[in-house]
Amino acid sequence: MADYDLILVGTGFASSFFLKAYLEVAPARARVLVLERGRHDSHDWQVRHRRNSSTVASTTFVNETAAKDWVFSIGFGGGSNCWTAGAPRFTPDDFRMESTYGVGRDWPIGYSDLEPYYQDAEELMAISGPDDSQSLFPRSRPYPQPPHQFSRPDALLKQAFPNTFFQQPTARARHATQGRPGCCGSMVCLLCPVDAKFTIENGCSHLYADPRVTLLVEARALTVETEGGVASGVSYEQDGVVKGASADLVVLGANALFNAHILLRSGFRHPLLGRRLNEQTAVDVRVDLDGLENVGGSTLITGTGYMFYDGPHRATRAAAYVSTLNHLSLRLERGRWRQRMYLTISFEALGLDENHVSFDPARPDLPVVVHAVNSPYVLRSLERIPVLLDELLGNLPVESLAIGRPTSNEAHIIGTTVMGDDPESSVLDRHLVYHGVHNLVVLGSGAFPTSTPTPPTLTLSALALWSAKGVLG
């Protein structure tokens, strides 16, 4: 059995950002083993095959709830291959839901704890964003890149909501960076044709080329091995052969389905392990405009609205986050081709114990995933969508609109390994260390005690940097 200083499972945002922090302080003789269950499907491969991964994600777990999808990408870079690169921060109140609104749970850390790591993550990804949003999330430094351009409808929304409507913070480069061109505006960000959005491949490949790092692809982590309450290593499968490696520090950085499954398969037991699986619920809205063309925006998602986010309503119903889209969808009416816009309203979720990941000894290789219940907290906000739209669109010349059905997924997987200070009511501590096992770290949005309406990627990346600082000193 090979000996390492660190074994790291996964190569997505959380794993890669933790690895970056580790390599900055590790000695020259450090040995790191990284296990990636998928292949390294390069950006060129993805574009040629029009796929984010050679692994079909739906074959890697058992979905016991047909109406609920879970979308993710397996392979080198993980979710960075398929994200649309929206990168807003959480707001200060997102970290203190219970104490402020009496619902959910407070995080064991606050916005001010994470702020420097937000800044570092934004600089690593060269985030473009608006510097007039300080009232929502105070910043210690400006965004690395200027914001994208508003569309014409966005400009009217900004007039109506000057303090709650902004350009979206995004890792779709506004200007070219080292290794990335500027956003081409083709609006197919799930697989960027020019490689303008930040990915692990175009932003962090050098970490895996470090001579201290051994990267194994198509190597699936099976279990975390323990001895006397200490993580001693990992068993994994590669080329059909089960192997083992020992390490001083074990870090799980897969998504919230697989981290929980690995721990359950390893024999870890906690009342909340695998529980409180959740993600946002969203509704798409098509708006046909009267005389106003939806042009001028410089990227896929141009505007973000917080007018229905924080406030007393959050004690009884979910906060909402508005995104205005700039993709091309023409009206088939002469002279009115571009008088149409789309927007998405996303709602936060509450983690419920009924929604969970479990380990089935009869199918040991596949997490069993159940999402049977949607919280009344969310449903109450979904019922108010027409009211929200009346307020939101009052400054626009709206001819008609069509409200879609709630989406079956938002490609975000949250909960299952929640963090907290009390070992009785949380799986991980404030630095994402498994309670009672000082050398086992579990990264990612599975650690979030609560969801928010906003995308989780920037926060889970900042949280990985926070964890590394706390664990490594």
Side-chain angles (χ1 to χ4, degrees):
M1 181 179 290
D3 292 323
Y4 293 91
D5 299 287
L6 166 65
I7 295 177
L8 184 61
V9 174
T11 56
F13 287 101
S15 297
S16 298
F17 281 44
F18 189 97
L19 179 60
K20 179 184 185 300
Y22 180 88
L23 293 175
E24 288 175 348
V25 299
R29 297 175 63 86
R31 298 186 68 212
V32 178
L33 175 65
V34 180
L35 303 174
E36 168 54 61
R37 71 173 293 165
R39 298 177 180 175
H40 187 168
D41 300 317
S42 68
H43 178 261
D44 288 343
W45 183 96
Q46 293 177 46
V47 170
R48 280 189 284 109
H49 291 83
R50 298 187 180 183
R51 298 171 57 190
N52 293 116
S53 172
S54 54
T55 301
V56 179
S58 62
T59 66
T60 63
F61 68 103
V62 177
N63 190 358
E64 294 283 9
T65 312
K68 176 66 175 174
D69 294 328
W70 299 99
V71 174
F72 51 89
S73 181
I74 290 178
F76 180 79
S80 73
N81 294 309
C82 64
W83 75 318
T84 56
R89 299 181 177 195
F90 290 178
T91 69
D93 276 352
D94 288 333
F95 295 90
R96 53 192 185 217
M97 286 288 291
E98 184 175 16
S99 59
T100 304
Y101 300 112
V103 296
R105 305 176 65 181
D106 286 351
W107 290 46
I109 61 174
Y111 179 89
S112 60
D113 295 312
L114 210 53
E115 199 282 330
Y117 303 94
Y118 270 138
Q119 194 70 49
D120 291 343
E122 288 167 345
E123 291 179 1
L124 286 168
M125 291 191 260
I127 301 297
S128 64
D131 288 325
D132 65 343
S133 56
Q134 288 274 3
S135 60
L136 281 174
F137 16 75
R139 305 179 53 80
S140 55
R141 299 191 294 275
Y143 276 104
Q145 289 213 5
H148 277 277
Q149 295 174 346
F150 273 150
S151 66
R152 290 182 184 174
D154 286 334
L156 292 179
L157 288 171
K158 182 65 173 177
Q159 289 178 13
F161 302 98
N163 299 317
T164 54
F165 189 80
F166 309 96
Q167 292 100 334
Q168 186 189 63
T170 177
R172 300 182 296 274
R174 178 75 174 89
H175 301 308
T177 70
Q178 185 175 2
R180 291 160 54 198
C183 176
C184 66
S186 60
M187 316 309 169
V188 286
C189 303
L190 292 176
L191 180 49
C192 178
V194 299
D195 209 19
K197 71 175 182 181
F198 174 89
T199 66
I200 299 304
E201 182 178 24
N202 65 29
C204 291
S205 286
H206 64 284
L207 301 175
Y208 298 93
D210 190 295
R212 295 170 289 181
V213 176
T214 299
L215 170 64
L216 300 182
V217 297
E218 297 183 84
R220 180 168 58 94
L222 303 176
T223 60
V224 175
E225 304 299 316
T226 58
E227 295 179 8
V230 175
S232 57
V234 171
S235 70
Y236 63 96
E237 182 181 25
Q238 188 180 39
D239 299 326
V241 178
V242 176
K243 305 176 183 179
S246 60
D248 297 326
L249 177 64
V250 175
V251 178
L252 301 184
N255 69 30
L257 304 185
F258 296 111
N259 282 345
H261 183 253
I262 291 168
L263 292 169
L264 290 166
R265 184 174 185 174
S266 305
F268 287 84
R269 295 294 180 265
H270 188 284
L272 290 181
L273 179 56
R275 300 285 166 177
R276 301 185 180 174
L277 174 67
N278 70 91
E279 72 169 347
Q280 299 89 346
T281 298
V283 171
D284 296 325
V285 182
R286 187 192 73 208
V287 183
D288 284 347
L289 301 165
D290 186 5
L292 176 64
E293 294 193 334
N294 183 21
V295 296
S298 62
T299 191
L300 174 65
I301 302 173
T302 44
T304 55
Y306 291 81
M307 59 287 294
F308 312 122
Y309 201 103
D310 270 331
H313 68 272
R314 213 168 174 185
T316 56
R317 55 183 170 82
Y321 172 80
V322 178
S323 304
T324 56
L325 281 72
N326 197 43
H327 63 68
L328 183 65
S329 178
L330 300 179
R331 290 179 66 171
L332 301 181
E333 302 171 55
R334 185 178 299 277
R336 311 189 77 179
W337 311 111
R338 297 181 294 186
Q339 294 177 25
R340 170 175 288 173
M341 68 177 291
Y342 283 87
L343 59 90
T344 298
I345 308 178
S346 301
F347 299 94
E348 65 188 327
L350 289 181
L352 303 176
D353 288 350
E354 299 95 316
N355 301 327
H356 64 275
V357 176
S358 62
F359 169 70
D360 181 357
R363 298 172 288 186
D365 290 338
L366 300 174
V368 179
V369 182
V370 175
H371 192 280
V373 182
N374 210 346
S375 166
Y377 186 72
V378 178
L379 298 177
R380 284 191 287 269
S381 280
L382 291 174
E383 293 170 353
R384 289 183 54 82
I385 287 176
V387 176
L388 302 184
L389 289 172
D390 282 347
E391 181 177 344
L392 175 68
L393 302 174
N395 200 39
L396 270 63
V398 175
E399 181 179 290
S400 64
L401 54 84
I403 303 172
R405 296 171 61 88
T407 57
S408 64
N409 77 84
E410 280 296 286
H412 304 142
I413 310 173
I414 300 167
T416 75
T417 56
V418 297
M419 63 191 294
D421 289 329
D422 183 359
E424 296 297 319
S425 60
S426 59
V427 178
L428 312 176
D429 73 11
R430 61 176 45 226
H431 292 295
L432 310 190
V433 176
Y434 194 97
H435 282 303
V437 185
H438 69 87
N439 66 331
L440 173 59
V441 178
V442 186
L443 304 173
S445 55
F448 292 6
T450 52
S451 175
T452 79
T454 55
T457 305
L458 182 70
T459 297
L460 70 88
S461 300
L463 199 59
L465 297 175
W466 155 269
S467 171
K469 177 65 174 178
V471 171
L472 305 174

